[in-house]
Amino acid sequence: MALIELDRDAPLEQAPGRRPPPWRYRHAGLLMTAVLMLALGGAAPYAATLWRELGTIGQAGDPETPIQLAGGRLYTVGMSERYHEVTAWALDGPPRRVWTARTPIGMSYNPVSGYFGAFTVRQAGDVVLLSEGFATTALDKRTGQTRWTLPLAVWLLGTGGVGLAAEQVFRPGTVYDQASGDPGALYFSATGEPHTEPPVRTQVHGVDLATGEVRWTTTPGGSVTVDPVHGDVPAVLITSSDRLTLHDGDTGDVRAEVALPELNGSGPVTASVAGDVALISYRDPGQQVAYDVRTLRRLWSRDLPEVPGDVPDCRQVICWGPRNDLYILDPATGEPAWPANGDIDITVRAGFVLETKVRTGRPDRLADLRDGTNRVVLTGWDRVLPGDPDATVVVRRDGDDGGQIFAAVRPGHPELRILGTADVDSDDCAADDHRLVCRDSSGLRVWAYRI
């Protein structure tokens, strides 16, 4: 949940070979199942999955760049003095190179902020989006040829063909002199340039992802927050200092709008989206008002007294309280629904609430969104691999022989299934719904799985 200050204005191929009759291994199989159930916290047995190593790519790309999986492919990123070298690898069998493309290495560099930003790869239809800091480049998925480049960050609107970009327009002469060190509020442009005054307007664009052309533009006054609203029909929620507006993602047309009242003569100062709820917060007095993101119907409000202690990181859920007394709120009513467990951070993964221990970074459990009941216990696992919130959750832990053991939970299925063991000497791994990639001293090694 981003908070922005508001001013007023593939199928897996079956492994070759013929399986022996099941009865031959019945007793050994039952014994192995029992051992795994005890050793791995009740996870479903390895025999319930298909797990095989596809091959090794070797040393490809910059080892400091995170492993990038998108649209069933692996993307490696190398750097030279002048450009990024991006290579797409097909993973429908032994890894094979599809194409290599070059993009300018300085495409997002800002001379004022000196900021590059993380390099990420996403797939949208027949284009591959490369994002770095404040710039986005689209490559043709089939050939790797550059389709378009924009000096703006582009967000995806669901699975449609439209992306979302925003840029602020500032009054001339308001660029902040960083050498001065003068105190005061700062307002940042879409390229990270600091200003001493809020923008006079914000331009929000719907971008055709195939061509890079702007399909529609709306220009709310002042500083706003812009949030994609995910669902079957793409939409965009724009929060300004005096109103909440829902736009059609394809056309930019206004679907719904509601005025935001002032409190003590002041409008809201922050806005964010958690699931299907828009949260509008005021500073004086501290109050939070919730609206349905698609109808803009007012749901509830609550006071926001200052919370003592360390505030936990809660993503896509609404939480309240310090870490030692944390509650998850019912999004429909704003009332406490269930207490969270101890010193944790919270996010939504695969339709469940993932609780992660703050001090160790280890996962604790997957809980039910509604009442917090245990759905999958993750005690004993070392890490949850990064991934899309709606995708399969993959966890790993160190094996006794020095390798890594992996297991997974499918969206909506509260069952931990063992995938297999990878004899890698590193925990630098990433996964999607069907593939797992680990980087070790031999390069990038790829496994396929099905659960």
Side-chain angles (χ1 to χ4, degrees), residues 388-414:
D388 187 277
D390 299 325
T392 299
V393 174
V394 178
V395 296
R396 57 151 292 274
R397 73 175 211 177
D398 293 336
D400 294 336
D401 60 353
Q404 306 290 323
I405 301 172
F406 294 90
V409 179
R410 288 190 298 158
H413 296 268

Side-chain angles (χ1 to χ4, degrees), residues 4 134 150-155 164-170 187-193 195 198-207 212 214 216-226 238:
I4 301 178
F134 308 110
L150 285 179
L152 297 170
V154 176
W155 308 304
L164 187 63
E167 56 181 326
Q168 296 80 26
V169 179
F170 292 85
Y187 306 85
F188 291 86
S189 70
T191 59
E193 186 176 60
H195 291 255
V200 295
R201 65 182 183 275
T202 301
Q203 295 177 333
V204 182
H205 308 294
V207 179
V214 174
W216 55 265
T217 297
T218 184
T219 310
S223 179
V224 301
T225 60
V226 183
I238 299 178

Side-chain angles (χ1 to χ4, degrees), residues 389-435:
D390 299 325
T392 299
V393 174
V394 178
V395 296
R396 57 151 292 274
R397 73 175 211 177
D398 293 336
D400 294 336
D401 60 353
Q404 306 290 323
I405 301 172
F406 294 90
V409 179
R410 288 190 298 158
H413 296 268
E415 184 178 34
L416 184 67
R417 289 187 175 272
I418 302 303
L419 301 181
T421 300
D423 55 338
V424 294
D425 55 12
S426 166
D427 61 359
D428 185 7
C429 302
D432 60 15
D433 286 338
H434 299 291
R435 306 289 186 270

Side-chain angles (χ1 to χ4, degrees), residues 290-442:
Y291 295 83
D292 184 283
V293 295
R294 290 201 169 270
T295 66
L296 304 192
R297 179 175 61 90
R298 188 177 186 275
L299 299 175
W300 46 265
S301 65
R302 64 189 179 108
D303 292 334
L304 285 177
E306 185 174 345
V307 178
D310 186 17
V311 178
D313 183 11
C314 298
R315 302 179 185 180
Q316 296 303 311
V317 294
I318 308 171
C319 64
W320 171 248
R323 293 191 187 278
N324 60 0
D325 190 24
L326 184 67
Y327 282 85
I328 305 302
L329 305 187
D330 184 330
T333 65
E335 295 296 323
W338 48 275
N341 291 337
D343 193 16
I344 58 171
D345 285 328
I346 293 174
T347 190
V348 174
R349 291 288 302 269
F352 306 101
V353 175
L354 170 63
E355 297 183 354
T356 304
K357 295 292 186 181
V358 174
R359 290 186 175 87
T360 64
R362 292 181 174 178
D364 187 31
R365 64 173 184 150
L366 292 172
D368 191 281
L369 276 164
R370 298 164 298 178
D371 57 17
T373 55
N374 281 347
R375 304 309 301 275
V376 181
V377 176
L378 298 176
T379 303
W381 294 91
D382 295 329
R383 181 189 172 205
V384 175
L385 271 57
D388 187 277
D390 299 325
T392 299
V393 174
V394 178
V395 296
R396 57 151 292 274
R397 73 175 211 177
D398 293 336
D400 294 336
D401 60 353
Q404 306 290 323
I405 301 172
F406 294 90
V409 179
R410 288 190 298 158
H413 296 268
E415 184 178 34
L416 184 67
R417 289 187 175 272
I418 302 303
L419 301 181
T421 300
D423 55 338
V424 294
D425 55 12
S426 166
D427 61 359
D428 185 7
C429 302
D432 60 15
D433 286 338
H434 299 291
R435 306 289 186 270
L436 184 143
V437 181
C438 291
R439 179 187 282 119
D440 71 358
S441 58
S442 63

Side-chain angles (χ1 to χ4, degrees), residues 15-85:
R18 185 175 177 180
R19 296 179 180 176
W23 56 266
R24 291 182 57 185
Y25 298 110
R26 174 178 177 82
H27 297 294
L30 290 173
L31 178 60
M32 179 62 70
T33 297
V35 171
L36 286 169
M37 292 287 284
L38 291 172
L40 297 165
Y46 168 83
T49 72
L50 292 176
W51 168 262
R52 62 193 176 97
E53 186 168 4
L54 296 181
T56 301
I57 293 175
Q59 300 297 341
D62 187 338
E64 300 301 320
T65 302
I67 297 170
Q68 305 279 347
L69 287 166
R73 287 180 175 177
L74 169 67
Y75 294 89
T76 57
V77 183
M79 296 185 181
S80 73
E81 294 182 357
R82 296 178 298 168
Y83 52 79
H84 292 299
E85 187 172 84

